[in-house]
Amino acid sequence: MIRGRFAPTPSGQLHLGNARTALLAWLQARKAGGRFIMRMEDIDKPRSRPHLAAEILDDLRWLGLDWDEGPDVGGPHAPYTQSEREEFYQAALAQLQARGYLYPCYCSRAEIMAIASAPHGLAEEGPAYPGTCRRLDPAALAERAARGKEPSLRFALPDRAVAFQDLLAGEQRFPAGAGGDFVIKRADGIIGYQLAVVVDDALMQITDVLRGWDLLDSTPRQLLLYQALGYPAPRFAHVPLLFGPDNTRLSKRHGAVTLAGIRAAGTAPEVVVGHLAHISGLLDRPEPVRPADLVAVFDLDRIPREPVVLSEALLASLSGEH
């Protein structure tokens, strides 16, 4: 049975791009007669807000989505909130450590950012980590450890390329070392996103991950972790992003693009779903529909392979500015 999921981070309100991804992931699972899982990714506790987690679930239900397992409904793979799953991440960390995949890193973010010659890493990270601490001999490592600074733990990338077939982006191939060795556990003790998401998807038996295009370059890292931990990897489908009228990623500067703002404007959920379905290639024209009405017409082949630019008129309409 197909098991899909949506895993928002409660550090901000749900916006139209998140809602579109949730809708498409839900449709993928429902079309296949599978199960849909909701997971709250609040592993970064300083950035997460409990009231936003509750608001996100409320917004998704308002949109017309439901889930078979999740933080508020339970299920066989509970808990479905990352901040309650620390023991699973620590067990995975111990496995990786025992198998020789990890090494301590004493470099600060400022030091890494200052390496102008380093190749680019993931978009949100800046320069790729050049492997400074990976090359230190035991004496140098001991000297750094003696300074009393807590290290982060990095995953040592193997010297081989990573290739996979994405259900939307097509054949993907990343050269050996792409993005640099990445952090598995931060110096402040917080588990890294890459490890948490792999452990959760594996233990929750997720078979299909439909998510935003901005996470495409995280996939090779996650595939390497699946292999290192002995987990089967899911299928991936990365959806092109939504852009504002100025051809930049949708954000607050484009107006009331959050579901909370759209709801406050009095826009009906069926109107929002109709527009999301239209820009995703599932409807020929925008018309009010419920998510359940779209199950029969859902097809990954209909989803655009390029970013979708939302017009000022559409955003104004959803915001109640007629």
Side-chain angles (χ1 to χ4, degrees), residues 132-148:
T132 306
C133 289
R134 183 177 181 177
R135 294 191 293 269
L136 293 178
D137 59 36
L141 270 177
E143 187 273 327
R144 289 205 172 196
R147 298 177 190 172

Side-chain angles (χ1 to χ4, degrees), residues 132-275:
T132 306
C133 289
R134 183 177 181 177
R135 294 191 293 269
L136 293 178
D137 59 36
L141 270 177
E143 187 273 327
R144 289 205 172 196
R147 298 177 190 172
K149 179 185 174 184
E150 194 67 28
S152 61
L153 290 177
R154 288 187 182 270
F155 183 89
L157 293 181
D159 188 21
R160 58 182 170 82
V162 177
F164 63 96
Q165 184 70 29
D166 190 272
L167 298 180
L168 282 170
E171 180 71 27
Q172 300 294 309
R173 184 177 179 83
F174 291 78
D181 297 344
F182 56 94
V183 172
I184 288 292
K185 183 181 181 182
R186 291 177 5 189
D188 61 6
I190 292 178
I191 300 296
Y193 160 76
Q194 306 291 356
L195 179 64
V197 73
V198 166
V199 170
D200 288 344
D201 281 344
L203 297 186
M204 293 178 186
Q205 300 177 4
I206 301 301
T207 65
D208 288 79
V209 174
L210 186 152
R211 60 190 183 185
W213 196 279
D214 53 327
L215 290 170
L216 183 63
D217 57 4
S218 283
T219 308
R221 294 181 170 190
Q222 292 168 17
L223 289 173
L224 290 172
L225 285 173
Y226 279 109
Q227 294 169 7
L229 291 166
Y231 295 143
R235 292 177 289 265
F236 290 96
H238 288 86
V239 182
L241 303 177
L242 299 187
F243 283 8
D246 58 357
N247 280 294
T248 62
R249 278 182 64 172
L250 203 60
S251 68
K252 290 179 181 177
R253 67 178 174 276
H254 296 116
V257 295
T258 64
L259 288 196
I262 291 169
R263 292 177 67 176
T267 304
E270 294 83 4
V271 171
V272 179
V273 173
H275 280 293

Side-chain angles (χ1 to χ4, degrees), residues 282-296:
L282 303 181
L283 292 178
D284 294 332
R285 62 183 183 278
E287 57 188 20
V289 292
R290 298 170 303 150
D293 300 328
L294 298 169
V295 173

